């Protein structure tokens, strides 16, 4: 099978993203278990002084490096690969993409210095009036703007391809990647405005205070679609690669997949108020509207679940799979890339259930700011996304480096260990939340912990320890693969699945950008506009910055 | 090849429907459980 050959220079460029991502994951993951251990009463932070001064500094390192840096770099590298491979052409302006990448690297370094020197212990949500050193905000801005610049490079490449191929359907992997990049460009406007108009001026002493309500509104304009920026690249892999990897199957419906991505673009931004149900400054009617739109995202999510599972089932049936569930055993579970993504998908089912519960205007009151929330997002970003990215890297890194995956059996074990560790960790966090345990609190120090929490807090520590082992195995496999002297015999085949239908039959309206983009912007204006106008008109820069650590 | 194409044409995703049915039932059960907690707490915190 003759596949498009990505050039060595482009492979190196894509690999640079993956390298930074994995380094961030390595450092950030050192601190994840420390939070879990602290909950179980094993406080290792006391041994890290004077380098790491507090639980909150460790939590900031963990959140920023794992939730923001690992994901953003992996995604930008993966999207770049998918656009080049999908469109079968080189980047239109590789220098532009390189500029974007190096802006992101400089941004990470700029943000890391104040975090590691305890000048930016503001967690990954950096809610004001918590105040960080200005370099933290400049660094985050550079990461975001750098990713925009890389996105522009991808759009220019698409424009050049479209000019050369005016009547062709955009290949799915490139199409879905471009939508993901577009979603990111739109949604990050919120956090960009927050940093540039409030947080950076505050940290530089140009203003005396901030408006926390408006800042939170800006933040969640970005914060929820950020979840889809994380998830959509995993979805691309589930739609386009996993069917072939898991059961030598095809994508069940190209049209349905494209429609799902468009709906994600339209609906993922105008729903941020569902994170602000208890914010007093947002009127209930707007919260209700955002709540309804959040439930709207259930539909493309179910379309995705249907298409992906049907694609897998179709191949498994051909391999002799029987019964309502028996076909699942016929999937290629021995392939570490498959095992990781399937296990990620299974746990994501529960992440989806928790997400819908969080998004319910009334039920959210039981869960808000409890341990249920980190329990939930460890099923989404830390499993559906992270474990999928790990699975993708099990074929992508050999593809990029030309080196064989080191010990595939260990890679498979890694996926299963993550799965088991996350079940223990996340389940206990969910239950603790229902019992009233707050999030963002070093519960090992809390004097009010009732006896009924204790067994669950122990399970949090146990789950964290197992996850740490899995993370260590992953890093070992990646390190040994990158330095493996054994090279692949021939070019690694990119496991992209064909569509069941002829892609040329996909309706043209599913390959047109203008109506979907205008629709997205119009919906944002309608459901965010009046509140933003009101909050900006009544802005009160009266809350002085705090440093509470 | 022809046999495979026929299998694909005749494929009915019954297993997929079964999996998604289990998902929806579990989702409703979890949601209802937490709703019951809300009601037990008097509908408010």
């Amino acid at each position: 099978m003759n596949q498009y050959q990505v050039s060595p220079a482009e492979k190196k460029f894509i690999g640079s993203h993956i390298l930074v991502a994995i380094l961030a994951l390595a450092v950030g993951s050192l601190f994840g278990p420390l939070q879990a251990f602290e909950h179980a009463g094993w406080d290792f932070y006391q041994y890290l002084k004077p380098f790491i001064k507090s639980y909150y500094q460790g939590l900031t390192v963990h959140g920023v490096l794992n939730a923001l840096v690992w994901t953003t770099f992996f995604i930008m590298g993966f999207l770049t690969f998918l656009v080049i491979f999908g469109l079968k052409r080189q980047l239109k302006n590789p220098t532009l993409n390189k500029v974007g990448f190096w802006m992101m690297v400089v941004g990470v370094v700029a943000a890391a210095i104040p975090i590691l020197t305890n000048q930016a212990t503001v967690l990954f949500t950096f809610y004001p009036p918590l105040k960080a050193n200005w370099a933290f905000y400049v660094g985050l801005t550079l990461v975001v703007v750098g990713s925009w610049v890389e996105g522009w490079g991808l759009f220019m490449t698409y424009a050049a391809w479209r000019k050369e191929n005016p009547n062709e359907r955009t290949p799915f992997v490139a199409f879905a990647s471009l939508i993901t990049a577009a979603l990111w460009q739109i949604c990050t406007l919120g956090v960009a405005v927050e940093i540039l108009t409030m947080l950076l001026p505050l940290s530089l002493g140009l203003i005396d205070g901030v408006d926390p309500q408006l800042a939170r509104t800006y933040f969640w304009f970005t914060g929820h679609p950020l979840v889809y920026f994380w998830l959509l690249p995993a979805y691309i892999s589930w739609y386009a690669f996993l069917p072939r990897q898991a059961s030598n199957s095809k994508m069940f419906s190209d049209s349905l997949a494209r429609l799902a991505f468009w709906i994600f673009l339209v609906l993922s931004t105008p729903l941020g108020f569902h994170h602000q149900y208890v914010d007093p400054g947002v009127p209930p009617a707007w919260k209700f509207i955002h709540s309804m739109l959040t439930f709207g995202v259930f539909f493309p999510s179910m379309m995705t679940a249907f298409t992906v599972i049907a694609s897998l089932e179709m191949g498994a049936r051909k391999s002799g799979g029987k019964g309502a569930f028996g076909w699942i055993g016929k999937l290629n579970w021995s392939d570490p890339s498959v095992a990781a993504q399937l296990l990620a998908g299974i746990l994501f089912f529960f992440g989806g259930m928790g997400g819908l519960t969080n998004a319910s205007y009334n039920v959210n009151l039981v869960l808000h700011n409890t341990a249920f929330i980190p329990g939930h997002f460890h099923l989404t970003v830390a499993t559906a996304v992270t474990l999928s990215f790990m699975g993708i890297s099990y074929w992508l890194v050999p593809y990029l480096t030309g080196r064989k995956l080191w010990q595939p059996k260990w890679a498979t074990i890694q996926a299963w260990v993550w799965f088991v560790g996350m079940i223990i960790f996340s389940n206990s966090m969910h239950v603790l939340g229902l019992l009233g345990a707050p999030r963002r609190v070093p519960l090992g120090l809390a004097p009010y912990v009732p006896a009924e929490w204790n067994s669950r807090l122990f399970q949090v520590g146990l789950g964290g320890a197992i996850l740490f082992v899995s993370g260590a195995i992953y890093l070992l496999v990646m390190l040994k693969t990158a330095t493996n002297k054994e090279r692949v015999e021939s070019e690694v085949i990119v496991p992209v699945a064909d569509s069941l239908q002829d892609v040329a039959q996909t309706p043209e309206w599913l390959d047109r950008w203008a109506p979907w983009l205008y629709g997205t912007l119009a919906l944002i204006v309608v459901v965010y506009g009046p509140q933003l106008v009101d909050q900006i008109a009544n802005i009160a820069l009266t809350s002085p910055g705090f440093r509470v650590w | 090849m022809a046999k495979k194409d026929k299998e694909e044409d005749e494929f009915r995703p019954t297993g997929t429907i079964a999996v998604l049915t289990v998902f929806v039932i579990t989702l409703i059960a979890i949601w209802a459980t937490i709703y019951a907690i809300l009601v037990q707490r008097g509908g408010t915190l």
Side-chain angles (χ1 to χ4, degrees):
Chain A
M1 183 174 181
N2 291 323
Q3 288 193 320
Y4 176 74
Q5 300 293 311
V6 177
S7 72
E10 287 176 326
K11 283 184 177 176
K12 191 175 171 188
F13 179 59
I14 294 160
S16 303
H17 290 80
I18 308 300
L19 175 64
V20 177
I22 292 176
L23 288 174
L25 181 71
V27 177
S29 297
L30 289 174
F31 292 89
L34 297 187
Q35 265 77 246
F37 294 161
E38 195 283 336
H39 280 27
W42 316 320
D43 182 13
F44 286 86
Y45 279 110
Q46 59 184 312
Y47 305 116
L48 297 179
K49 290 176 181 172
F51 304 108
I52 297 295
K53 293 186 172 56
S54 69
Y55 168 91
Y56 286 109
Q57 189 183 2
L59 187 55
T60 303
V61 174
H62 177 59
V64 171
L65 288 183
N66 285 14
L68 301 181
V69 180
W70 145 253
T71 52
T72 305
F73 273 85
F74 192 97
I75 290 167
M76 292 315 300
F78 190 45
L79 297 187
T80 303
F81 165 73
L82 292 171
V83 168
I84 295 170
F85 180 81
L87 299 181
K88 297 183 172 59
R89 78 178 320 282
Q90 295 190 325
L91 290 170
K92 171 72 175 169
N93 188 344
T95 306
L96 186 66
N97 287 69
K98 283 178 186 163
V99 168
F101 171 73
W102 284 107
M103 284 176 74
M104 289 169 66
V105 172
V106 171
V108 168
V109 173
I113 292 170
I115 292 173
L116 294 173
T117 53
N118 200 31
Q119 301 297 310
T121 299
V122 291
L123 311 186
F124 86 97
T125 44
F126 48 90
Y127 286 150
L130 290 178
K131 187 172 82 168
N133 182 281
W134 61 269
F136 174 76
Y137 302 118
V138 170
L140 287 186
T141 304
L142 282 172
V143 171
V144 170
V145 176
S147 65
W148 287 353
V149 173
E150 286 216 66
W152 300 338
L154 300 182
F155 297 138
M156 287 171 65
T157 305
Y158 171 68
W161 176 88
R162 178 51 80 198
K163 204 173 173 185
E164 295 155 3
N165 303 274
N167 300 316
E168 279 193 36
R169 295 287 176 274
T170 314
F172 175 74
V173 294
F175 164 88
S177 300
L178 291 162
I179 289 182
T180 308
L183 182 154
W184 182 241
Q185 304 262 337
I186 294 168
C187 78
T188 40
L189 289 172
V191 80
V193 172
E194 180 194 9
I195 289 176
L196 294 177
T197 63
M198 274 194 268
L199 303 186
L200 191 56
L202 178 75
S203 66
L204 290 170
L206 300 176
I207 56 176
D208 296 326
V210 292
D211 183 333
Q213 179 63 85
L214 179 57
R216 284 170 56 80
T217 300
Y218 285 144
F219 180 86
W220 286 113
F221 184 99
T222 300
H224 194 78
L226 172 64
V227 175
Y228 296 101
F229 175 67
W230 292 332
L231 280 170
L232 293 189
Y235 286 0
I236 296 172
S237 180
W238 295 356
Y239 270 116
F241 297 133
L242 190 56
R244 179 163 166 185
Q245 292 178 291
S247 58
N248 198 25
S249 186
K250 296 178 178 175
M251 185 157 66
F252 186 66
S253 173
D254 182 83
S255 302
L256 206 55
R258 287 172 198 255
L259 181 60
F261 270 81
W262 282 128
I263 300 176
F264 279 125
L265 176 69
V266 173
L267 290 182
S268 59
T269 298
L271 41 72
F273 286 151
H274 82 247
H275 288 263
Q276 296 175 258
Y277 284 154
V278 300
D279 282 23
V282 181
W286 290 107
K287 292 174 181 171
F288 178 77
I289 291 169
H290 283 230
S291 161
M292 290 298 107
L293 287 167
T294 307
F295 283 107
V297 182
F298 181 69
F299 293 101
S301 303
M302 287 301 281
M303 287 159 67
T304 297
F306 176 82
T307 308
V308 170
I309 299 170
S311 304
L312 297 173
E313 184 191 353
M314 189 166 59
R317 297 269 182 220
K318 282 185 198 166
S319 304
K322 304 284 182 199
F325 303 104
W327 59 272
I328 296 170
K330 290 289 181 182
L331 299 173
N332 186 14
W333 287 91
S334 60
D335 180 331
S337 179
V338 172
Q341 294 182 78
L342 290 176
L343 295 172
I346 290 170
L347 286 189
F348 187 50
F349 264 20
F350 297 93
M353 293 171 197
L356 278 171
T357 317
N358 296 336
S360 302
Y361 197 173
N362 52 358
V363 176
N364 178 271
L365 287 173
V366 177
L367 315 168
H368 193 84
N369 270 347
T370 70
F372 190 99
I373 305 302
H376 162 70
F377 68 64
H378 276 81
L379 290 179
T380 54
V381 67
T383 302
V385 174
T386 292
L387 190 53
S388 289
F389 288 179
M390 288 169 167
I392 293 165
S393 66
Y394 286 147
W395 67 262
L396 184 62
V397 171
Y399 173 82
L400 295 173
T401 61
R403 298 171 192 275
K404 270 192 173 176
L405 180 67
W406 180 79
Q407 297 285 354
K409 193 192 294 181
W410 275 102
T412 306
I413 291 170
Q414 180 271 323
W416 279 100
V417 174
W418 191 277
F419 182 72
V420 172
M422 191 56 79
I423 287 174
I424 296 170
F425 172 83
S426 178
N427 180 57
S428 50
M429 291 288 280
H430 278 89
V431 174
L432 279 166
L434 292 175
L435 293 172
R439 67 182 289 202
R440 298 193 183 103
V441 171
L443 292 170
L445 299 174
Y448 49 80
V449 171
E452 62 178 346
W453 294 5
N454 286 333
S455 65
R456 299 294 181 178
L457 290 170
F458 172 78
Q459 289 169 29
V460 170
L462 177 64
I466 296 171
L467 287 165
F468 179 74
V469 170
S470 175
I473 298 172
Y474 174 71
L475 295 171
L476 179 68
V477 172
M478 284 292 100
L479 179 66
K480 297 289 272 184
T481 300
T483 57
N484 199 348
K485 287 178 182 161
E486 205 176 345
R487 305 193 71 92
V488 294
E489 284 96 16
S490 56
E491 179 87 0
V492 174
I493 298 294
V494 178
V496 64
D498 294 328
S499 171
L500 189 58
Q501 303 99 345
D502 181 1
V503 176
Q505 302 300 316
T506 297
E508 192 187 356
W509 58 272
L510 288 174
D511 204 19
R512 281 191 183 166
W513 279 77
W516 299 100
L517 270 182
Y518 291 142
T520 302
L521 297 174
L523 192 59
I524 290 171
V525 168
V526 169
V527 302
Y528 255 122
Q531 256 306 290
L532 278 173
V533 168
D534 183 62
Q535 289 190 26
I536 293 169
N538 294 291
I539 189 170
L541 298 173
T542 51
S543 292
F546 283 102
R547 178 178 162 153
V548 293
W549 61 92
Chain B
M1 188 67 190
K3 181 173 177 281
K4 278 195 170 182
D5 289 343
K6 195 180 171 204
E7 282 177 5
E8 286 168 355
D9 286 343
E10 293 176 354
F11 170 66
R12 296 287 177 270
T14 50
T16 303
I17 299 298
V19 170
L20 294 179
T21 302
V22 170
F23 170 75
V24 170
I25 291 170
T26 314
L27 165 64
I28 291 169
I30 287 176
W31 194 95
T33 303
I34 301 174
Y35 182 76
I37 293 173
L38 178 76
V39 173
Q40 283 169 7
R41 290 178 184 175
T44 179
L45 295 183

